[in-house]
């Protein structure tokens, strides 16, 4: 009898153990299944978020750079002549500052001379005709677009306009402001810059008293509100994101814009222009970013620089050797396409003339960089007298132009 009870007791204990093991096993399986389900849900959620992130259109940001007047006085092209090769080469002029232009997504300049050809004879002021090697050098440092509407457009007549545009086409630089035909004038230059479509317009106050040829009124874009409005509308028809106007206006050697410039800037902004790059003064004039209210009640950001000064020239009048390279970051919102100006900066530059040299006497210097080299006793171009000039020119530029951060946040 006792043996039977002991055997029954053992069986009960074994059953309990098996039951406990079974329960533990079931719980473990449930935990694993729950974990796998949670993991699957987590991964699924992350994948869904990733897909949504990928599907969400991303913002586009581009860098736009602009320079001042590209002039070429007799001293400039004489200094670029190589007696050995019998060719002109302006490469050394831009060597120090090319880094600020080559990095841009789009770079704009103002060509205030003509490329009418060697046969016409190279000349400086008052009627310019320059070696096309100048255009090649501009292309090599990254200039993409040149405005050709200015008071020197007709220095070599209508044929000079045609030769200049032909040469720019050959070099590979886009242009606006002068035209070889009415059809060309009515075709607005539009460039797709990494997904942002920009229309480029250009106008001048006049042509130094040289009449625009009868029957060829299309050859130079004069500042005429009817023409401006017509070309703005042509740009809008192409669904552009930005309209950028190069304006040859204002008073020479004045470091402040006049009322006519301000009124014209307002007119351009109200009718659809977003960015205005001004020139002609040969000295630096103020820049401004602002928000304007449009007729439909919406607001938009706009920017104007009234003059960037001479990029290159042989001028010696006070402050004509100083210029700035404008540097802007522009954003297109990926969801709504709205354009905003993220940042505005400028690089102060000085056209150094080492007049004792017969060749390569002109060299564009980064003013801040050369000042820093001098003050840190580093190797540079600057001696004490030039250092003092650069300090003075920088002070003058910074007095005219606001702090870039303040401009960007205004």
């Amino acid at each position: 009898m006792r043996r039977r009870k002991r055997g029954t007791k053992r069986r009960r204990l074994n059953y309990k153990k098996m039951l406990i093991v079974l329960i533990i096993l079931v719980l473990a399986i449930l935990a694993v299944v729950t974990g796998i389900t949670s993991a699957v849900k987590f991964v699924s959620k992350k994948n869904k978020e990733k897909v949504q992130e990928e599907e969400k259109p991303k913002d586009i940001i581009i860098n736009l750079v602009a320079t001042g007047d590209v002039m070429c006085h007799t001293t400039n092209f004489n200094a670029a002549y190589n007696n050995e090769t019998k060719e002109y080469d302006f490469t050394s002029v831009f060597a120090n500052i090319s880094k600020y232009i080559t990095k841009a997504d789009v770079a704009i300049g103002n060509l205030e001379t003509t490329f009418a050809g060697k046969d016409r004879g190279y000349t400086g002021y008052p009627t310019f005709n320059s070696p096309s090697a100048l255009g090649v050098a501009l292309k090599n440092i990254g200039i993409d677009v040149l405005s050709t509407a200015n008071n020197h457009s007709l220095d070599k007549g209508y044929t000079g306009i045609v030769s200049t545009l032909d040469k720019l086409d050959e070099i590979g630089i886009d242009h606006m402001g002068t035209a070889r035909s009415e059809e060309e004038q009515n075709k607005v230059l539009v460039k797709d810059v990494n997904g942002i479509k920009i229309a480029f317009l250009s106008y001048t106050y006049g042509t130094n008293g040289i009449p625009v040829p009868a029957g060829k009124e299309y050859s130079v874009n004069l500042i005429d509100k009817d023409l401006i409005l017509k070309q703005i509308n042509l740009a809008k028809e192409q669904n552009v994101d930005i309209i950028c106007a190069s304006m040859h206006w204002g008073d020479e050697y004045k470091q402040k814009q006049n009322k006519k410039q301000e009124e014209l800037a307002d007119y351009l902004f109200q009718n659809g222009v977003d960015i205005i790059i001004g020139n002609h003064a040969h000295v630096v004039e103020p820049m401004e970013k602002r928000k304007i209210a449009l007729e439909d009640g919406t607001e938009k950001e706009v920017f104007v620089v009234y003059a960037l000064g001479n990029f290159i020239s042989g001028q010696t009048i006070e402050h004509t050797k100083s210029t700035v390279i404008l540097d802007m970051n522009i954003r297109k919102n990926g969801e709504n396409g709205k354009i905003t100006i993220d940042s505005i900066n400028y690089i102060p530059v000085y056209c150094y003339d080492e007049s004792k040299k017969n060749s390569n006497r002109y060299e564009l210097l980064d003013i801040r960089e050369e000042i820093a080299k001098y003050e840190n006793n580093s190797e540079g171009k600057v001696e004490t007298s030039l250092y003092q000039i650069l300090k003075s020119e920088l002070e003058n530029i910074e007095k005219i132009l606001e702090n870039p951060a303040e401009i960007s946040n205004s």
Side-chain angles (χ1 to χ4, degrees), residues 321-379:
K321 290 179 176 292
S322 296
T323 183
V324 295
I325 299 172
L326 175 68
D327 189 303
M328 304 173 64
N329 283 337
I330 300 168
R331 179 186 298 269
K332 179 180 179 180
N333 186 288
E335 293 188 52
N336 58 29
K338 185 178 180 181
I339 296 292
T340 53
I341 300 171
D342 273 10
S343 66
I344 300 165
N345 201 351
Y346 61 84
I347 299 92
V349 173
Y350 184 78
C351 186
Y352 174 55
D353 177 7
E354 197 171 356
S355 55
K356 294 177 182 178
K357 296 172 67 175
N358 291 323
S359 61
N360 297 327
R361 62 185 265 192
Y362 290 97
E363 190 175 1
L364 296 181
L365 303 179
D366 178 329
I367 294 178
R368 291 192 182 116
E369 192 174 81
E370 293 299 331
I371 287 174
K373 285 179 183 177
Y374 181 90
E375 293 177 345
N376 294 323
N377 296 314
S378 301
E379 185 178 347

Side-chain angles (χ1 to χ4, degrees), residues 94-113:
F94 307 107
N96 295 314
I97 53 81
S98 61
K99 60 188 176 184
Y100 299 115
I101 300 173
T102 54
K103 58 98 178 168
D105 294 302
V106 62
I108 313 162
N110 174 55
L111 184 66
E112 196 159 1
T113 184

Side-chain angles (χ1 to χ4, degrees), residues 260-324:
K260 286 185 178 179
Q261 286 170 277
E262 293 175 352
E263 289 168 3
L264 187 53
D266 290 340
Y267 177 83
L268 292 169
F269 289 146
Q270 286 297 329
N271 283 284
V273 171
D274 303 278
I275 296 170
I276 301 172
I277 310 295
N279 278 304
H280 174 60
H282 306 301
V283 293
V284 175
E285 291 183 344
M287 61 176 65
E288 175 190 12
K289 186 182 91 166
R290 49 181 150 131
K291 286 184 179 178
I292 64 164
L294 301 177
E295 289 182 357
D296 62 4
T298 61
E299 282 189 340
K300 74 169 182 175
E301 287 187 343
V302 294
F303 172 84
V304 56
V305 56
Y306 288 101
L308 291 168
N310 289 331
F311 187 47
I312 174 180
S313 83
Q315 288 190 317
T316 57
I317 298 169
E318 187 180 24
H319 301 312
T320 58
K321 290 179 176 292
S322 296
T323 183
V324 295

Side-chain angles (χ1 to χ4, degrees), residues 197-212:
K197 288 178 70 176
I198 307 177
F200 295 93
L201 309 177
S202 173
Y203 308 92
T204 178
Y205 74 91
T207 54
N208 283 351
I210 302 173
V212 178

